[in-house]
Amino acid sequence: MSARLLEVRDLRTHFFNRGTVAKAVDGVSFHVDAGEMLALVGESGCGKSVTAYSLLRLIADPPGKIVGGEILFEGHDLMKLSDDEMRRLRGDRIAMIFQDPMSSLNPVFTIGAQIAESVLVHRGGTKAAALSRAVELLDLVGIPDSRRRIDEYPHRLSGGMRQRAVIAMALACEPKLLIADEPTTALDVTIQAQVLALISELKQRLGMGVIMITHDLGVVAQHAQRVAVMYAGKIVEQAAVADLFSRPLHPYTKGLLASIPRQGASGGRLNEIPGMVPSLLAMPRGCSFAPRCPKAVDRCTHHVPSLADISPLHPVSCFVAQQEAKL
Amino acid sequence: MRPLLSVTELKVHFPVRHGLVRAVDNVSLEVGSAETVGLVGESGCGKTTLGKAILRLVKPTAGSIRLAGTEIADMSRALLRPLRREMQMIFQDPQASLNPRQTVASIIEEPMIVHNIGTRTERREKVAWLMAKVGMRPDASGRYPHEFSGGQRQRIGIARALALNPKLIVCDEPVSALDVSVRAQVINLLEDLKREFELSYLFISHDLSVVEHVSDRIAVMYLGRIVETAEGSSLWKRPLHPYTQALISAVPVPDPTAVSRRVVLQGDLPSPLNPPTGCRFHTRCPYATELCRQSEPQLRRVDAAHQMACHYLPDERHTN
């Protein structure tokens, strides 16, 4: 039994603007164990990034606010920490990697100085010691010639190298939890393969829990152990990866899996999910997927389904799927 | 049958301060009538430059581009103008390729105004017809691009590309900016339109699974060169060039039971400013030999539907 690292219960992050409320994250619950990768999948606007930012309390207030829920990290509720305690946690016990490496690196400082800063802030010690730690970290993430590279500025590195430098920075204090928000979307496939292999290997070696935010179901299948599918601010299905791909239950998950082109099966029409994701400001009544759902029944347009377990480890929020499972 | 588009030994070089960027270097390619040719490669391999050169949006340095038999590589702008109707482009980012201050109807109408086609009424009728073809509601015509989602915006771009009844459309990453569920809608639309209007597509993308799905034939580019071409399905089943093999194996398969036989390439794409000598791939190739470092392999025919540029066939290679 691995240790429960993070437990999120009924998280709600809403954005308030000119009298309107956008419920970007609306009652999300999940957990991450040490040494496992949880994938958070969904399309743009489903709330997966806002969920990640909420965990680190990085939501700009105003307009955003975490209006409810608990974020238990190693048993402590992060919502109850002071800003100062939270700041000490970020980059130390919990680290985050963003999609675009260039925007998380400062262009006027060297790579080494930026990695060393994280070490100095959280661990103290001398500057020389922090720099030699930076060299170790660059070796760890596979940047060749690390001793020379620490003196380079970000623009001198290629995209893949920059993302490695950002990963090195995130790992500087050996975090327990790594949150990766679309870390490879900006990279080419051969570089993506290198970076994902690196994250998986480090997860194993350091026993980190990883939350991988992605829209790429291929990345999920190849790297994650469990997956939560988000739609319009809610988790609609959660399962072990093998289970989700072999037995998807929610019509949205089924639609997503059927809409990706498969290798070696060229031609033919792709499955379409009709329509588009509803605006957070104009959510349909009832199940938010109902207007696009091929299986929607009358009840779906009036009541919001809850995330009920069909099998103990495979909860799904769909009246129809829940009904079918009972039969 | 004569191909609709025939590109021979095309070069596009850009002079920069310290030398010459060989973005496209000796590329030959054909696109038949009502055929989709996929062009894959990683960023910086020259695929977009090749697409733009074919439309004469950038000037080719050398080589030949024939559109329905007419040489256009060195044609003057004035002579080229009427031919531009035959070839259109769909861009990656519909947000950036649509004028935010024009309404949908005026965006789609504009190519017809530029080419002096029809009366105002006829043009408006055509706009309504095109909007229906790409699956947009007629009441969208007076609205502006920002009022639409990414998928809807891409439909506007497609309607604009169709306005002049082109024969060839260069699609540059047309679905890369779209979400998975919407991507399927746009891919299906492109396929329906191809069938209805007998269009030919040059479909440029870094996403191999999408390219495989839409293409009759696929060309793989690496550092300004085509390294392999094949019928769509045979490229997946039997990739021959080491780069194609690595590229295909790097694509994460959406199936957790798939056995990963990943060939993780070392290093990054070299700069096209100073491409490696010999075979351009030898710096990252697990099988490179002395011959590869010295002499550049030419594209050669392996069987009827398959060409590649490597000195060795797969069973002649040995890992270093």
Side-chain angles (χ1 to χ4, degrees), chain B residues 85 109 111-120 122-123 126 163-165:
Chain B
R85 289 183 207 173
E109 184 187 3
M112 295 183 270
I113 300 176
V114 169
H115 285 272
N116 250 323
I117 292 168
T119 62
R120 201 183 144 73
E122 284 164 1
R123 288 197 301 261
K126 177 98 186 240
L164 297 171
N165 306 324

Side-chain angles (χ1 to χ4, degrees), chain A residues 199-264:
Chain A
I199 293 177
S200 283
E201 186 207 321
L202 294 170
K203 177 199 74 167
Q204 216 88 49
R205 185 144 40 118
L206 308 175
M208 288 186 302
V210 179
I211 299 178
M212 173 69 69
I213 296 171
T214 180
H215 64 272
D216 187 334
L217 290 159
V219 170
V220 176
Q222 295 299 312
H223 294 276
Q225 281 75 54
R226 280 189 308 114
V227 52
V229 181
M230 283 190 79
Y231 186 79
K234 289 189 164 69
I235 290 179
V236 295
E237 182 165 5
Q238 226 183 112
V241 165
D243 210 18
L244 188 97
F245 282 80
S246 64
R247 203 168 60 99
L249 295 173
H250 197 283
Y252 176 62
T253 316
K254 287 182 182 172
L256 274 187
L257 285 171
S259 69
I260 38 180
R262 302 281 169 162
Q263 285 177 23

Side-chain angles (χ1 to χ4, degrees), chain B residues 12-319:
Chain B
V12 185
H13 294 174
F14 298 105
V16 291
R17 194 149 31 125
H18 300 290
L20 203 58
V21 174
R22 300 164 193 271
V24 175
D25 214 17
N26 262 330
V27 164
S28 300
L29 185 76
E30 285 185 354
V31 181
S33 180
E35 185 186 31
T36 301
V37 174
L39 192 59
V40 284
E42 298 180 276
S43 40
C45 74
K47 56 191 192 300
T48 294
T49 305
L50 176 58
K52 286 186 171 167
I54 286 168
L55 297 182
R56 280 286 309 269
L57 297 176
V58 296
K59 203 169 163 38
T61 311
S64 143
I65 305 167
R66 288 174 171 272
L67 185 71
T70 311
E71 177 61 55
I72 60 165
D74 51 6
M75 195 178 256
S76 73
R77 291 175 63 133
L79 281 173
L80 193 61
R81 234 182 138 170
L83 288 177
R84 287 200 182 278
R85 289 183 207 173
E86 310 288 332
M87 43 187 194
Q88 291 292 311
M89 187 154 183
I90 298 169
F91 299 89
Q92 170 169 6
D93 182 359
Q95 172 98 55
S97 57
L98 302 175
N99 186 337
R101 295 166 61 159
Q102 272 181 291
T103 62
V104 170
S106 95
I107 288 171
I108 301 174
E109 184 187 3
E110 192 166 25
M112 295 183 270
I113 300 176
V114 169
H115 285 272
N116 250 323
I117 292 168
T119 62
R120 201 183 144 73
T121 329
E122 284 164 1
R123 288 197 301 261
R124 288 280 152 167
E125 274 168 17
K126 177 98 186 240
V127 167
W129 181 80
L130 285 165
M131 285 179 62
K133 281 286 163 211
V134 299
M136 295 192 74
R137 293 153 54 103
D139 60 7
S141 65
R143 289 159 66 190
Y144 292 87
H146 76 267
E147 298 177 61
F148 297 90
S149 66
Q152 294 292 98
R153 276 191 216 123
Q154 199 56 294
R155 288 175 197 267
I156 302 171
I158 293 170
R160 175 178 61 185
L162 289 173
L164 297 171
N165 306 324
K167 294 199 179 71
L168 173 72
I169 299 184
V170 174
C171 309
D172 189 6
E173 305 268 10
V175 295
S176 302
L178 306 179
D179 272 318
V180 190
S181 69
V182 179
R183 200 168 63 182
Q185 295 173 5
V186 173
I187 291 173
N188 284 342
L189 172 65
L190 286 170
E191 304 225 277
D192 292 344
L193 295 170
K194 174 190 169 184
R195 220 165 295 127
E196 181 167 355
F197 299 111
E198 296 188 336
L199 297 168
S200 301
Y201 292 136
L202 181 65
F203 196 100
I204 302 171
S205 181
H206 69 280
D207 187 332
L208 278 102
S209 47
V210 169
V211 167
E212 195 236 357
H213 181 82
V214 300
S215 304
D216 302 309
R217 259 180 328 120
I218 300 177
V220 182
M221 269 185 98
Y222 188 79
L223 276 186
R225 290 227 155 196
I226 289 178
V227 296
E228 183 162 1
T229 67
E231 309 273 325
S233 54
S234 71
L235 192 75
W236 275 105
K237 286 190 197 114
R238 204 166 68 97
L240 294 176
H241 195 281
Y243 177 63
T244 316
Q245 291 172 346
L247 200 61
I248 287 177
S249 80
V251 177
V253 188
D255 173 5
T257 60
V259 190
S260 154
R261 288 173 291 113
R262 198 154 298 151
V263 190
V264 176
L265 282 184
Q266 298 306 312
D268 293 312
L269 221 61
S271 155
L273 186 56
N274 281 309
T277 57
C279 173
R280 288 171 192 215
F281 185 58
H282 87 254
T283 51
R284 300 173 80 195
C285 182
Y287 314 108
T289 65
E290 199 46 44
L291 177 64
C292 306
R293 281 180 271 277
Q294 283 171 7
S295 110
E296 178 153 24
Q298 299 302 313
L299 208 58
R300 58 176 166 139
R301 196 165 285 284
V302 180
D303 58 48
H306 214 135
Q307 288 180 285
M308 68 138 184
C310 176
H311 291 301
Y312 305 100
L313 288 169
D315 52 10
E316 298 166 350
R317 296 181 194 134
H318 306 283
T319 318

